[in-house]
Amino acid sequence: MKISKVIGYQVLDSRGRPTVAAAITLTDGSTHTARVPSGASTGKHEAKELRDTGSKYSDKFYSGLSVQQAVANINEKIAPRLVEEQIDLNLVDSQLIDLDPSEDHSALGANATLAVSLSASLATAHSQNKSLARYFAADAPLLIPMPMVNILSGGAHANRSMDIQDILIIPTGAKTFTQALSWIVAVREMAAVMGKESGQVTNLIADEGGLSLTFSSIEKACEFVVSAIEKVGLQVGNQVSLALDVAATQFYDGEKYNLATIGKSYSPSEFVKYISQLTSNQPIISIEDPFAEDDWSSWQQFMEIAPAKLQLLGDDLLTTNLERLDKAIANKSANAILIKPNQNGLVTSTLNVLKQARANNFNTVVSARSGENEDSWLADLATGWSAGQIKVGSTHGSERNAKWNRLLEFEATEETRFINPFN
Ligand code: PGA
Ligand code: ZN
């Protein structure tokens, strides 16, 4: 089957910001569309998304954030290369590399390359009569990932109501994804009720759908979530545990980690000690970005003292980038990687990063961004790649629930097995 048409256009994400969509039409008349996500607490080593600020395309009504340059690159540079070619994800990605050999995809824009690469993935799966998950999955059953779900939000996603970005829960005791999600919804609702009872405004929800509440310390915020878990009748530790996304790059000034809302500053070595105490005093089984994106030595120091079963997850540190992952493997700086396709820019090279991580015994967590859309391909990738874990934000907002609902669909309609990487 061949490609007959490739069209890029601008759409809106869940924060009301422009993002890129690409639609690939095949010779059988079918059209396959994908929209790209976008971050707020972005790492500086991520692939480069093109925004129109300062260019002739800049649109004042979108405060310069429009993506018409990336769209033009799809329509004027990428489309002429792909039309009349066979539909095949690997060929499409190699054409995209040929057109823009830069490491960070800055010539075409990673938002342009990823939109095309994703729509090519969907079109290739269709040409083989498969879902995207089945296209990547070896055999039945499909392996449904363990969710890591946002309950409290702070940092760049919630007007810095807390210094750290997220307190999440992982329902490790659930037997099925369907059961896991019901537990999560119950904890989320209980946390909202408790927030209201404490006199806080709970109808302000953050970019990823988490509750934006304030606490006098990180410990108090953890205890609040623990109490929500207990109040719905679930066992902390046995059934549901905590995870943190510290997003520490956001409050590191090059010398100190500054927790502004609680008025404390820590040197890197003090912060390593603090994180060590926090993770041993709270039922935390996964901690993401506890140190800044280039503070490699704190990551290494913490790995040396952390219990082996604690998941130390690199997001801004690793940015779904093979070189940075290789460095973390060599230096023992982390034991898990967040996999965000738009940090990388291509589907095939994102998968290569995941494979390299797995080959080196890293856990892999496929992740959405704070700026999302109605697409559900992320759930297909996490399942088809047997990633083991998925992080999408909260259970509020259809851009989040599109992914959860896709996993529910797999469990309801296919032969599946629900993974627990924390066993
Ligand atoms: P972002 O946040 O999409 O704003 O980068 C998600 C995360 O930090 O994991
Ligand atoms: Zn993160």
Side-chain angles (χ1 to χ4, degrees):
M1 211 176 289
K2 287 189 174 171
I3 298 173
S4 57
K5 207 160 51 174
V6 179
I7 293 180
Y9 55 99
Q10 180 172 288
V11 293
L12 293 182
D13 75 15
S14 53
R15 304 167 301 185
R17 287 193 194 167
T19 190
V20 180
I24 292 185
T25 302
L26 301 177
T27 43
D28 71 350
S30 63
T31 296
H32 307 274
T33 304
R35 300 149 189 95
V36 299
S38 174
S41 68
T42 47
K44 77 166 177 245
H45 305 287
E46 295 191 18
K48 179 116 183 50
E49 65 176 19
L50 280 189
R51 299 259 174 206
D52 294 336
T53 319
S55 82
K56 66 173 181 182
Y57 295 98
S58 187
D59 179 341
K60 72 172 181 181
F61 293 111
Y62 282 130
S63 315
L65 292 172
S66 58
V67 291
Q68 298 296 359
Q69 270 181 103
V71 163
N73 287 341
I74 295 177
N75 293 328
E76 290 160 23
K77 295 179 182 156
I78 299 173
R81 274 284 186 115
L82 298 183
V83 170
E84 299 290 317
E85 296 291 326
Q86 287 293 331
I87 181 63
D88 177 87
L89 170 63
N90 294 304
L91 292 179
V92 169
D93 276 7
S94 59
Q95 289 280 12
L96 292 169
I97 292 169
D98 200 50
L99 278 167
D100 177 4
S102 69
E103 274 292 308
D104 60 359
H105 305 283
S106 50
L108 292 172
N111 40 358
T113 58
L114 185 69
V116 172
S117 184
L118 282 168
S119 52
S121 309
L122 292 164
T124 306
H126 165 83
S127 73
Q128 298 180 12
N129 232 341
K130 290 176 177 160
S131 70
L132 185 59
R134 280 281 170 212
Y135 167 68
F136 284 112
D139 291 308
L142 284 176
L143 303 180
I144 308 274
M146 176 64 65
M148 184 189 281
V149 187
N150 202 325
I151 302 294
L152 299 178
S153 291
H157 297 165
N159 211 14
R160 308 206 178 270
S161 53
M162 300 189 293
D163 297 297
I164 65 168
Q165 189 168 285
D166 308 301
I167 298 185
L168 311 98
I169 56 173
I170 307 181
T172 55
K175 296 285 174 284
T176 62
F177 178 76
T178 304
Q179 183 180 39
L181 207 59
S182 70
W183 291 3
I184 288 158
V185 167
V187 175
R188 168 69 163 75
E189 292 312 305
M190 181 57 75
V193 169
M194 289 165 54
K196 217 175 198 168
E197 280 168 5
S198 74
Q200 300 206 47
V201 180
T202 52
N203 57 356
L204 286 179
I205 60 170
D207 285 350
E208 297 188 345
L211 291 162
S212 156
L213 305 177
T214 50
F215 297 91
S216 55
S217 68
I218 299 173
E219 289 77 1
K220 286 254 161 32
C222 291
E223 284 156 18
F224 177 89
V225 177
V226 162
S227 145
I229 296 168
E230 288 169 344
K231 280 191 178 170
V232 300
L234 291 165
Q235 289 164 16
V236 177
N238 264 343
Q239 293 180 304
V240 182
S241 292
L242 301 190
L244 300 187
D245 182 0
V246 179
T249 304
Q250 296 279 321
F251 55 82
Y252 182 58
D253 63 9
E255 281 174 18
K256 295 259 183 190
Y257 288 92
N258 301 303
L259 300 179
T261 62
I262 55 176
K264 284 193 178 157
S265 284
Y266 298 85
S267 71
S269 62
E270 287 165 353
F271 205 54
V272 169
K273 266 196 219 121
Y274 171 72
I275 291 292
S276 173
Q277 280 162 9
L278 179 70
T279 49
S280 43
N281 293 339
Q282 301 293 334
I284 293 169
I285 58 172
S286 174
I287 186 158
E288 177 179 334
D289 285 354
F291 312 108
E293 60 198 348
D294 289 317
D295 184 12
W296 290 92
S297 73
S298 292
W299 285 83
Q300 283 171 277
Q301 281 172 40
F302 183 63
M303 268 290 274
E304 279 170 23
I305 56 170
K309 62 180 190 342
L310 179 68
Q311 176 167 275
L312 179 54
L313 180 54
D315 172 13
D316 292 346
L317 178 78
L318 304 176
T319 58
T320 320
N321 176 295
L322 199 54
E323 263 173 46
R324 293 184 72 83
L325 171 64
D326 282 340
K327 182 169 173 181
I329 293 166
N331 294 346
K332 295 193 169 54
S333 312
N335 59 23
I337 181 171
L338 213 68
I339 300 284
K340 290 172 165 171
N342 85 315
Q343 284 182 329
N344 181 289
L346 292 174
V347 173
T348 50
S349 52
T350 300
L351 176 56
N352 286 340
V353 173
L354 181 136
K355 284 181 174 165
Q356 172 76 342
R358 186 154 47 210
N360 288 279
N361 297 319
F362 270 49
N363 281 353
T364 57
V365 185
V366 167
S367 171
R369 302 303 305 251
S370 48
E372 270 298 328
N373 58 66
E374 64 272 33
D375 284 0
S376 58
W377 46 260
L378 192 84
D380 282 65
L381 295 184
T383 305
W385 290 349
S386 306
Q389 293 174 70
I390 185 169
K391 182 181 133 178
V392 167
S394 179
T395 45
H396 277 229
S398 291
E399 79 283 3
R400 314 284 149 195
N401 290 342
K403 285 74 164 169
W404 303 135
N405 289 349
R406 180 70 170 146
L407 296 175
L408 289 173
E409 181 183 355
F410 288 145
E411 207 163 68
T413 63
E414 303 228 21
E415 190 189 342
T416 57
R417 191 156 64 76
F418 181 47
I419 302 271
N420 179 6
F422 295 94
N423 252 342

PDB file of all heavy atoms in Angstrom, residues 296-307:
ATOM      1  N   TRP A 296      24.535  15.340  37.637  1.00  0.00           N
ATOM      2  CA  TRP A 296      24.752  13.888  37.587  1.00  0.00           C
ATOM      3  C   TRP A 296      25.288  13.342  38.902  1.00  0.00           C
ATOM      4  O   TRP A 296      24.947  12.244  39.330  1.00  0.00           O
ATOM      5  CB  TRP A 296      25.744  13.536  36.470  1.00  0.00           C
ATOM      6  CG  TRP A 296      25.201  13.721  35.085  1.00  0.00           C
ATOM      7  CD1 TRP A 296      25.296  14.852  34.315  1.00  0.00           C
ATOM      8  CD2 TRP A 296      24.481  12.756  34.293  1.00  0.00           C
ATOM      9  NE1 TRP A 296      24.684  14.651  33.102  1.00  0.00           N
ATOM     10  CE2 TRP A 296      24.185  13.375  33.056  1.00  0.00           C
ATOM     11  CE3 TRP A 296      24.060  11.444  34.507  1.00  0.00           C
ATOM     12  CZ2 TRP A 296      23.487  12.721  32.026  1.00  0.00           C
ATOM     13  CZ3 TRP A 296      23.371  10.784  33.487  1.00  0.00           C
ATOM     14  CH2 TRP A 296      23.083  11.426  32.270  1.00  0.00           C
ATOM     15  N   SER A 297      26.142  14.113  39.598  1.00  0.00           N
ATOM     16  CA  SER A 297      26.791  13.529  40.771  1.00  0.00           C
ATOM     17  C   SER A 297      25.791  13.285  41.904  1.00  0.00           C
ATOM     18  O   SER A 297      25.924  12.312  42.643  1.00  0.00           O
ATOM     19  CB  SER A 297      27.993  14.366  41.217  1.00  0.00           C
ATOM     20  OG  SER A 297      27.537  15.536  41.810  1.00  0.00           O
ATOM     21  N   SER A 298      24.753  14.132  42.052  1.00  0.00           N
ATOM     22  CA  SER A 298      23.738  13.856  43.080  1.00  0.00           C
ATOM     23  C   SER A 298      22.976  12.575  42.748  1.00  0.00           C
ATOM     24  O   SER A 298      22.665  11.778  43.634  1.00  0.00           O
ATOM     25  CB  SER A 298      22.760  15.028  43.200  1.00  0.00           C
ATOM     26  OG  SER A 298      23.423  16.151  43.727  1.00  0.00           O
ATOM     27  N   TRP A 299      22.676  12.376  41.463  1.00  0.00           N
ATOM     28  CA  TRP A 299      21.987  11.143  41.041  1.00  0.00           C
ATOM     29  C   TRP A 299      22.843   9.924  41.427  1.00  0.00           C
ATOM     30  O   TRP A 299      22.329   8.954  41.987  1.00  0.00           O
ATOM     31  CB  TRP A 299      21.750  11.139  39.525  1.00  0.00           C
ATOM     32  CG  TRP A 299      20.649  12.036  39.040  1.00  0.00           C
ATOM     33  CD1 TRP A 299      20.734  13.370  38.778  1.00  0.00           C
ATOM     34  CD2 TRP A 299      19.285  11.658  38.749  1.00  0.00           C
ATOM     35  NE1 TRP A 299      19.523  13.849  38.340  1.00  0.00           N
ATOM     36  CE2 TRP A 299      18.617  12.825  38.303  1.00  0.00           C
ATOM     37  CE3 TRP A 299      18.580  10.462  38.807  1.00  0.00           C
ATOM     38  CZ2 TRP A 299      17.274  12.823  37.923  1.00  0.00           C
ATOM     39  CZ3 TRP A 299      17.239  10.454  38.423  1.00  0.00           C
ATOM     40  CH2 TRP A 299      16.606  11.626  37.995  1.00  0.00           C
ATOM     41  N   GLN A 300      24.138  10.018  41.128  1.00  0.00           N
ATOM     42  CA  GLN A 300      25.037   8.885  41.433  1.00  0.00           C
ATOM     43  C   GLN A 300      25.119   8.638  42.934  1.00  0.00           C
ATOM     44  O   GLN A 300      25.062   7.504  43.383  1.00  0.00           O
ATOM     45  CB  GLN A 300      26.436   9.156  40.885  1.00  0.00           C
ATOM     46  CG  GLN A 300      26.534   8.954  39.389  1.00  0.00           C
ATOM     47  CD  GLN A 300      27.871   9.458  38.891  1.00  0.00           C
ATOM     48  OE1 GLN A 300      28.038  10.647  38.656  1.00  0.00           O
ATOM     49  NE2 GLN A 300      28.821   8.551  38.754  1.00  0.00           N
ATOM     50  N   GLN A 301      25.287   9.741  43.709  1.00  0.00           N
ATOM     51  CA  GLN A 301      25.385   9.586  45.174  1.00  0.00           C
ATOM     52  C   GLN A 301      24.136   8.930  45.729  1.00  0.00           C
ATOM     53  O   GLN A 301      24.203   8.078  46.608  1.00  0.00           O
ATOM     54  CB  GLN A 301      25.537  10.959  45.837  1.00  0.00           C
ATOM     55  CG  GLN A 301      26.933  11.529  45.757  1.00  0.00           C
ATOM     56  CD  GLN A 301      26.919  12.978  46.271  1.00  0.00           C
ATOM     57  OE1 GLN A 301      26.241  13.300  47.244  1.00  0.00           O
ATOM     58  NE2 GLN A 301      27.654  13.848  45.614  1.00  0.00           N
ATOM     59  N   PHE A 302      22.966   9.364  45.207  1.00  0.00           N
ATOM     60  CA  PHE A 302      21.721   8.804  45.720  1.00  0.00           C
ATOM     61  C   PHE A 302      21.589   7.324  45.344  1.00  0.00           C
ATOM     62  O   PHE A 302      21.165   6.509  46.171  1.00  0.00           O
ATOM     63  CB  PHE A 302      20.516   9.611  45.218  1.00  0.00           C
ATOM     64  CG  PHE A 302      19.208   9.115  45.772  1.00  0.00           C
ATOM     65  CD1 PHE A 302      18.957   9.162  47.144  1.00  0.00           C
ATOM     66  CD2 PHE A 302      18.231   8.575  44.950  1.00  0.00           C
ATOM     67  CE1 PHE A 302      17.755   8.682  47.673  1.00  0.00           C
ATOM     68  CE2 PHE A 302      17.032   8.089  45.480  1.00  0.00           C
ATOM     69  CZ  PHE A 302      16.798   8.150  46.842  1.00  0.00           C
ATOM     70  N   MET A 303      21.967   6.971  44.121  1.00  0.00           N
ATOM     71  CA  MET A 303      21.898   5.558  43.692  1.00  0.00           C
ATOM     72  C   MET A 303      22.725   4.671  44.621  1.00  0.00           C
ATOM     73  O   MET A 303      22.361   3.538  44.898  1.00  0.00           O
ATOM     74  CB  MET A 303      22.410   5.395  42.255  1.00  0.00           C
ATOM     75  CG  MET A 303      21.358   5.493  41.184  1.00  0.00           C
ATOM     76  SD  MET A 303      20.219   4.079  41.145  1.00  0.00           S
ATOM     77  CE  MET A 303      21.147   2.943  40.118  1.00  0.00           C
ATOM     78  N   GLU A 304      23.847   5.216  45.109  1.00  0.00           N
ATOM     79  CA  GLU A 304      24.715   4.417  45.989  1.00  0.00           C
ATOM     80  C   GLU A 304      24.058   4.098  47.328  1.00  0.00           C
ATOM     81  O   GLU A 304      24.285   3.034  47.887  1.00  0.00           O
ATOM     82  CB  GLU A 304      26.045   5.150  46.241  1.00  0.00           C
ATOM     83  CG  GLU A 304      27.008   4.958  45.088  1.00  0.00           C
ATOM     84  CD  GLU A 304      28.231   5.860  45.209  1.00  0.00           C
ATOM     85  OE1 GLU A 304      28.553   6.290  46.346  1.00  0.00           O
ATOM     86  OE2 GLU A 304      28.845   6.131  44.164  1.00  0.00           O
ATOM     87  N   ILE A 305      23.216   5.033  47.810  1.00  0.00           N
ATOM     88  CA  ILE A 305      22.629   4.802  49.146  1.00  0.00           C
ATOM     89  C   ILE A 305      21.173   4.331  49.088  1.00  0.00           C
ATOM     90  O   ILE A 305      20.645   3.861  50.085  1.00  0.00           O
ATOM     91  CB  ILE A 305      22.731   6.072  50.036  1.00  0.00           C
ATOM     92  CG1 ILE A 305      22.077   7.273  49.338  1.00  0.00           C
ATOM     93  CG2 ILE A 305      24.178   6.364  50.380  1.00  0.00           C
ATOM     94  CD1 ILE A 305      21.935   8.482  50.264  1.00  0.00           C
ATOM     95  N   ALA A 306      20.524   4.447  47.923  1.00  0.00           N
ATOM     96  CA  ALA A 306      19.093   4.100  47.839  1.00  0.00           C
ATOM     97  C   ALA A 306      18.903   2.585  47.883  1.00  0.00           C
ATOM     98  O   ALA A 306      19.739   1.842  47.368  1.00  0.00           O
ATOM     99  CB  ALA A 306      18.501   4.658  46.551  1.00  0.00           C
ATOM    100  N   PRO A 307      17.789   2.119  48.490  1.00  0.00           N
ATOM    101  CA  PRO A 307      17.505   0.686  48.442  1.00  0.00           C
ATOM    102  C   PRO A 307      17.307   0.243  46.989  1.00  0.00           C
ATOM    103  O   PRO A 307      16.741   0.994  46.183  1.00  0.00           O
ATOM    104  CB  PRO A 307      16.203   0.545  49.229  1.00  0.00           C
ATOM    105  CG  PRO A 307      15.740   1.905  49.574  1.00  0.00           C
ATOM    106  CD  PRO A 307      16.772   2.897  49.192  1.00  0.00           C
TER     107      PRO A 307
END
